[in-house]
Amino acid sequence: LVGFDTKGEVFKDGDRVLRGIYRGGAGSVRDVLDRCSSKELFELGIVGTRELAEDPVPELGYELVLEHERIPFVTYPHEWSGAMLQEAACFHTKLLRDLSVHGLTLKDWHPYNVLFKGTSPRFVDFTSIIASAELSREPYLAGTPTPRGIGAFWDADSAAMYGMYRSTFEPYFAYPLEMMRQGRHARARTRLYETALNSTGTIMTREEVFEGDPKGSLRYALRHRLLQLLLSQRGPAKTRFLDAVLRRLRTIQVAAQGSAYSSYYADKGEDFSTVPSGDWTKKQHGVRNVLTRSRPATVLDLGCNTGWFSMLAARLGASVVAVDVDEASIDSLYVAARREGLDILPLAVDLAAPLPDRYAQEFENEPSLSHIGGDAPLYNAAPARLRCEMVIALAIVHHLALGQGLDFGRIASMLSTLANGSVCVEFVDISDAMIRAEPSFFPAREAAPHSFGWYTLDNFVAALRPYFPHVEIQPSHPETRSLVVGSR
């Protein structure tokens, strides 16, 4: 796994996640590990970590090898909704503050240190935890300019904390959250992808965040000045500064507002309880029967909307990844799943047109220290990371075919790349009332209405069979819809 840590590197060994520590780094890493264990600091959300008694890869020459708790799915900030990025920022900032009580700190402060286990953030960059006294000696923080009129009251720890805030917190947490506060969610996530850490020399700037909003820029500048003043607190624990950052993070309104799809189930009269009842239609009963019969450990809910079927699968024992392009729906699902303690990971991702891999930027003055080498991507495309035992794809095939113009072969291939075992797909006949009532939702068909003679249930089943040889058809709701269940 590609990284830029000067203390070591993370790699996979089967299902295990290991971290090799380079020569000269074992002492400080062991000290942090001992403190985290003795003070129960893993309870703060730090990824579970232990030292291996025996080196499983002695040929690589590490001084020490750690094993980490395995987080099931790797995700990135550009895939998180506003509420998720906000939660990650609050979690990371609170961890930084809480560690200071124990003489520890973090050497960087950005969302790439965080993964989500369901709806719960976990801090996974263990070697970013260092003794507080070490922060001011971090090379990347050297030479941080101090603000005129205030810097004279700072100590070395103040300057280091400010450097970390400016170079890692602002461009990857503060600025995208400010964009989301303005309602520019898609733009914020696009810029997070384009400026992903260590993949490019560019970062998000204050000028682009507040373009056309001079009052917003002024308010931000005044808050920034107050933070500079709070950094005059002596000693390594800058609690007043961190508390002020945390208060702002907790009060900013960043969740995407309601969209045309965020009340989808209520509008259809299908906002049922997930407990089986006589109100359920054949669709709800059919999907539940498939889940209870197959008992998949992991489920990918493709085009999940606000996640009714994701919640159903989670309550039946599955670990669920729920994806949709509608950010308001994803925000709504994240809040609901977190409130109810459900094992659901909601993501704003378009798996029909996934963003490509991104590779690490090469720094001439920072040659790689890796003992493994290789040319792996720094950020992997979503299909490689989100593969599950079962894929549920309800009320989406007609959007991909009639809306985006994808043929059944491409749709079946996409489902195959995402499902290890089986799929449960809803096929909507072209005579369906919703297709007839909303032709503008299906631009490919509207542009060439006589070119979709191939859009039939039989042709869809034929396209699935090479990937899922065992196919059965079940009724859905209304009668113009069918559940197509395929397995390998």
Side-chain angles (χ1 to χ4, degrees):
L1 303 177
V2 178
F4 288 85
D5 195 338
T6 56
K7 285 191 176 179
E9 61 186 334
V10 180
F11 59 97
K12 291 186 289 187
D13 180 27
D15 285 338
R16 298 197 301 170
V17 178
L18 307 181
R19 186 186 298 262
I21 304 301
Y22 303 140
R23 295 288 170 184
S28 59
V29 171
R30 281 197 179 100
D31 178 63
V32 170
L33 183 59
D34 289 345
R35 289 201 222 185
C36 288
S37 299
S38 62
K39 302 295 185 181
E40 299 183 342
L41 301 184
F42 289 108
E43 299 299 318
L44 299 176
I46 300 168
V47 67
T49 302
R50 68 185 184 97
E51 178 181 350
L52 294 184
E54 295 187 17
D55 186 347
V57 285
E59 68 277 9
L60 293 179
Y62 298 120
E63 188 174 12
L64 168 69
V65 177
L66 305 175
E67 181 173 9
H68 297 304
E69 169 197 2
R70 184 176 180 272
I71 306 300
F73 298 98
V74 173
T75 62
Y76 305 125
H78 61 264
E79 299 168 335
W80 303 343
S81 70
M84 294 176 73
L85 184 63
Q86 181 180 33
E87 181 63 33
C90 290
F91 162 75
H92 201 312
T93 304
K94 186 175 184 300
L95 177 63
L96 183 56
R97 186 193 65 185
D98 292 346
L99 287 174
S100 68
V101 177
H102 303 280
L104 298 171
T105 189
L106 303 173
K107 65 181 181 181
D108 44 29
W109 186 5
H110 54 68
Y112 301 94
N113 288 333
V114 176
L115 291 178
F116 278 86
K117 187 175 183 181
T119 59
S120 299
R122 292 284 189 274
F123 186 87
V124 297
D125 191 8
F126 186 76
T127 48
S128 179
I129 307 172
I130 60 174
S132 297
E134 293 181 23
L135 183 62
S136 61
R137 298 195 290 269
E138 278 295 312
Y140 88 98
L141 298 176
T144 299
T146 56
R148 196 182 312 174
I150 294 177
F153 299 96
W154 285 2
D155 55 21
D157 297 310
S158 303
M161 181 68 71
Y162 183 65
M164 183 167 62
Y165 175 84
R166 291 298 306 273
S167 61
T168 60
F169 177 86
E170 275 196 311
Y172 303 110
F173 271 136
Y175 291 159
L177 284 170
E178 284 292 335
M179 271 193 180
M180 291 175 175
R181 180 191 63 79
Q182 299 165 7
R184 299 160 64 197
H185 295 77
R187 180 60 180 165
R189 289 193 297 103
T190 295
R191 292 296 287 143
L192 277 167
Y193 174 74
E194 292 172 345
T195 63
L197 185 68
N198 290 327
S199 70
T200 177
T202 63
I203 60 172
M204 207 177 300
T205 66
R206 189 184 301 184
E207 288 73 22
E208 68 176 293
V209 172
F210 293 103
E211 183 179 7
D213 183 15
K215 291 183 179 179
S217 180
L218 177 60
R219 286 192 293 269
Y220 185 92
L222 290 173
R223 287 193 299 270
H224 190 89
R225 193 66 168 171
L226 174 61
L227 292 177
Q228 292 173 339
L229 288 168
L230 293 174
L231 276 171
S232 60
Q233 179 182 1
R234 311 302 290 180
K238 307 300 181 184
T239 52
R240 292 201 292 266
F241 165 78
L242 293 170
D243 284 342
V245 173
L246 195 55
R247 282 194 298 273
R248 172 63 180 172
L249 289 172
R250 285 173 171 165
T251 56
I252 189 171
Q253 299 297 314
V254 298
Q257 300 304 305
S259 69
Y261 289 98
S262 58
S263 59
Y264 178 78
Y265 292 113
D267 292 344
K268 292 178 64 179
E270 295 181 7
D271 194 15
F272 308 125
S273 163
T274 53
V275 177
S277 73
D279 294 329
W280 281 19
T281 71
K282 291 179 180 179
K283 178 175 178 175
Q284 286 77 37
H285 285 294
V287 174
R288 187 180 190 279
N289 289 341
V290 170
L291 289 167
T292 54
R293 183 180 65 192
S294 301
R295 293 290 177 186
T298 56
V299 169
L300 174 61
D301 188 357
L302 188 61
C304 65
N305 196 261
T306 52
W308 192 94
F309 289 95
S310 296
M311 294 182 182
L312 175 66
R315 289 194 169 106
L316 291 173
S319 177
V320 180
V321 180
V323 302
D324 204 290
V325 296
D326 185 65
E327 186 158 349
S329 295
I330 291 298
D331 255 331
S332 173
L333 175 55
Y334 176 74
V335 171
R338 187 168 177 81
R339 180 181 63 243
E340 299 183 31
L342 297 175
D343 188 2
I344 299 174
L345 174 61
L347 300 171
V349 173
D350 184 356
L351 286 174
L355 294 170
D357 292 341
R358 285 185 70 88
Y359 287 81
Q361 181 184 15
E362 293 186 8
F363 297 90
E364 292 183 2
N365 62 337
E366 295 182 30
S368 173
L369 301 175
S370 173
H371 292 194
I372 298 172
D375 57 354
L378 182 60
Y379 302 103
N380 290 278
R385 296 178 278 111
L386 304 182
R387 193 175 175 92
C388 287
E389 189 174 329
M390 174 183 282
V391 170
I392 297 175
L394 306 174
I396 187 173
V397 168
H398 60 306
H399 285 287
L400 297 176
L402 305 178
Q404 298 184 28
L406 276 63
D407 61 42
F408 287 154
R410 185 173 171 187
I411 294 172
S413 175
M414 177 188 70
L415 292 170
S416 176
T417 65
L418 297 170
N420 286 324
S422 59
V423 293
C424 179
V425 186
E426 186 177 36
F427 184 84
V428 180
D429 190 82
I430 208 160
S431 64
D432 187 83
M434 291 192 72
I435 293 179
R436 295 200 310 269
E438 299 287 353
S440 62
F441 282 17
F442 308 100
R445 180 172 181 253
E446 192 173 27
H450 303 296
S451 301
F452 286 85
W454 52 268
Y455 184 88
T456 67
L457 177 58
D458 288 343
N459 284 341
F460 181 64
V461 170
L464 277 182
R465 284 195 189 279
Y467 305 101
F468 305 97
H470 308 288
V471 178
E472 58 179 297
I473 311 297
Q474 299 182 14
S476 186
H477 176 81
E479 293 181 353
T480 51
R481 304 186 175 208
S482 305
L483 293 178
V484 182
V485 183
S487 59
R488 298 185 189 275

